[in-house]
């Protein structure tokens, strides 16, 4: 069982009706949308935390249409092959698309366990709870994961901030870290449609201390996205949306079809024993 822990004392939280409570009496309400806020006030200085409603809804529409299914399938295959057990923690779970799929793949492979999703966006967690009612969901940052030491068999980290020391702490010896990163030409066609000088992504250079690389799978292809509403959904779910001026955004609204490369690096690491 993979339980959440108290952000104050680190004790395991047990459910009592609509609350989670530790042995020292610290208590946290479970929201009606089935997530709990374990983010300390000192960590909550910014007005907006994580993805907003616009980005979450856009990602839901786009992912549920299947455009990134090759990435989902690669993650599921690697988890089923390399995981030693089924206790799953998604550090930066967003709206739960990959969390739910990987959890199902582990179960199908005979590796049962709990699935915990962590994100700093309440909006994303509400969407994740609707997608999969079995997930344990908490508002928290990847630098303070609210689960016990050496309690997870698998940590997912998909296009999210990373904290290698925290991942090593929560994983059991020999546990599996699955990470997805954009490769150099990921969404280059989208950038070319918007920007006068499109740029390549930085080459992935990720070698976490305390982990050994098991396998890297590059998921590369080309997608043609339509109609225009789906093109806009793709743009809105990326970091480019809030960094792009109105004139460049307008270029995208003129498109009725967009062909672009997708290019993901999927990395499987084993935590040192």
């Amino acid at each position: 069982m993979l339980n959440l822990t108290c952000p104050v004392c680190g004790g395991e939280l047990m459910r009592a009706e609509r609350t989670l409570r530790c042995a020292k009496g610290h208590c946290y309400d479970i929201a009606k949308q089935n997530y709990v806020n374990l983010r300390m006030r000192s960590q909550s200085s910014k007005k907006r935390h994580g993805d907003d409603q616009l980005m979450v809804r856009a990602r839901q529409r786009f992912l549920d249409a299947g455009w990134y299914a090759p990435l989902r399938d690669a993650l599921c295959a690697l988890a089923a092959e390399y995981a030693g057990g089924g206790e799953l923690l998604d550090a930066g779970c967003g709206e739960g698309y990959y969390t739910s799929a990987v959890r199902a793949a582990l179960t199908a492979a005979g590796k049962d366990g709990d699935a915990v999703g962590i994100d700093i966006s309440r909006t994303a967690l509400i969407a994740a709870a609707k997608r999969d009612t079995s997930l344990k969901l908490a508002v928290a940052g990847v630098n303070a994961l609210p689960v016990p030491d050496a309690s997870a068999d698998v940590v997912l980290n998909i296009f999210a901030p990373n904290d290698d020391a925290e991942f090593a702490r929560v994983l059991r010896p020999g546990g599996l870290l699955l990470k997805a990163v954009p490769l150099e030409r990921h969404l280059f066609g989208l950038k070319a449609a918007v920007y006068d000088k499109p740029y390549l992504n930085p080459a992935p250079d990720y070698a976490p201390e305390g982990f050994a690389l098991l396998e890297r799978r590059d998921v590369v292809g080309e997608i043609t996205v339509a109609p225009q509403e789906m093109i806009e959904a793709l743009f809105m779910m990326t970091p480019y949306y809030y960094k792009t001026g109105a004139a460049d955004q307008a270029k995208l609204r003129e498109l009725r079809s967009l062909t672009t490369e997708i290019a993901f690096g999927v990395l499987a690491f084993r935590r040192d024993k």
Side-chain angles (χ1 to χ4, degrees):
M1 181 175 290
L2 184 56
N3 287 325
L4 294 165
T5 54
C6 175
V8 176
C9 68
E12 289 197 42
L13 294 170
M14 306 306 293
R15 182 160 183 159
E17 296 182 352
R18 295 297 300 174
T19 65
L20 293 179
R21 188 182 300 268
C22 71
K24 292 188 177 180
H26 302 122
C27 187
Y28 307 89
D29 292 334
I30 299 172
K32 65 180 180 180
Q33 300 94 342
N34 286 321
Y35 72 89
V36 62
N37 189 351
L38 299 180
R39 189 170 171 85
M40 301 292 287
R41 285 188 181 179
S42 61
Q43 301 170 323
S44 305
S45 58
K46 294 181 181 180
K47 291 183 179 180
R48 184 173 71 86
H49 302 302
D51 294 344
D52 61 18
Q53 192 172 77
L54 190 67
M55 295 181 75
V56 170
R57 287 181 176 176
R59 190 163 58 238
Q60 282 181 292
R61 291 197 303 272
F62 188 84
L63 293 177
D64 287 343
W67 301 106
Y68 281 6
L71 171 58
R72 176 201 64 199
D73 294 345
L75 290 164
C76 289
L78 288 168
E81 180 175 353
Y82 289 116
E87 304 292 358
L88 171 66
L89 171 66
D90 192 340
C93 67
E95 47 69 63
Y97 175 77
Y98 300 108
T99 327
S100 184
V102 171
R103 199 269 183 85
L106 289 169
T107 300
K111 302 171 184 181
D112 291 323
D114 290 328
V116 172
I118 301 300
D119 206 282
I120 60 172
S121 167
R122 293 178 177 84
T123 303
L125 293 178
I126 291 169
K130 291 178 180 178
R131 178 181 294 280
D132 189 338
T133 59
S134 71
L135 300 179
K136 297 180 180 179
L137 300 166
V139 178
V142 299
N143 61 335
L145 297 169
V147 297
D149 295 354
S151 58
D153 295 301
V154 183
V155 168
L156 282 182
N157 187 236
I158 312 302
F159 298 134
N162 62 277
D163 189 313
D164 299 338
E166 267 295 272
F167 297 163
R169 179 187 70 81
V170 303
L171 276 170
R172 292 170 177 161
L176 177 67
L177 170 61
L178 278 179
K179 188 168 184 70
V181 296
L183 299 181
E184 291 91 330
R185 294 192 65 85
H186 181 58
L187 297 183
F188 191 79
L190 174 65
K191 295 181 198 176
V194 175
Y195 304 127
D196 293 332
K197 296 180 180 180
Y199 56 91
L200 297 175
N201 298 316
D205 181 19
Y206 184 67
E209 185 176 352
F211 291 85
L213 180 64
L214 292 169
E215 185 177 342
R216 170 176 164 172
R217 292 188 188 180
D218 289 353
V219 179
V220 178
E222 186 176 86
I223 58 174
T224 298
V225 182
Q228 201 283 325
E229 290 80 4
M230 197 62 73
I231 300 171
E232 188 118 4
L234 171 59
F235 187 49
M236 286 179 180
M237 68 183 250
T238 71
Y240 313 132
Y241 180 72
Y242 286 107
K243 300 176 182 179
T244 302
D248 284 335
Q249 287 193 24
K251 298 176 187 177
L252 209 66
R253 297 193 185 99
E254 298 299 318
L255 298 177
R256 294 299 173 261
S257 177
L258 171 71
T259 297
T260 185
E261 293 150 287
I262 56 172
F264 311 100
V266 186
L267 305 162
F269 296 95
R270 181 79 72 200
R271 183 191 182 280
D272 292 345
K273 296 185 178 181

